[in-house]
Amino acid sequence: MLIVEIKGDKYQRRPYMSLSSAEKAVERARSQGRYATVRLVACTPVPGGDLA
C-alpha cells in the first residue's frame, strides 16, 4: 500500500493501491503548490490482536 501525504492548508494522508495513482495524486498536489510525498507501507495482521 502507498500513502500519499499532502501538506497544505491542512495535512492529508490518503491510501492508494497502485503506484501510478499515487504518483498522479502527488503531481496534482505539487501543481497546486503543495508539498507532497509518497510512502510505501506494509500492512500486516497482528496475531491475537483485538481492534475493539
Side-chain angles (χ1 to χ4, degrees):
M1 181 184 318
L2 300 138
I3 302 293
V4 173
E5 297 178 335
I6 301 171
K7 297 176 185 174
D9 294 338
K10 59 182 180 177
Y11 185 75
Q12 298 174 337
R13 282 188 223 158
R14 294 184 182 170
Y16 290 88
M17 297 303 286
S18 72
L19 179 57
S20 63
S21 296
E23 286 177 328
K24 288 176 187 175
V26 168
E27 288 174 11
R28 282 192 305 269
R30 288 181 177 171
S31 71
Q32 296 171 357
R34 299 187 205 165
Y35 178 79
T37 59
V38 176
R39 293 184 186 263
L40 178 63
V41 297
C43 297
T44 57
V46 177
D50 184 15
L51 298 177

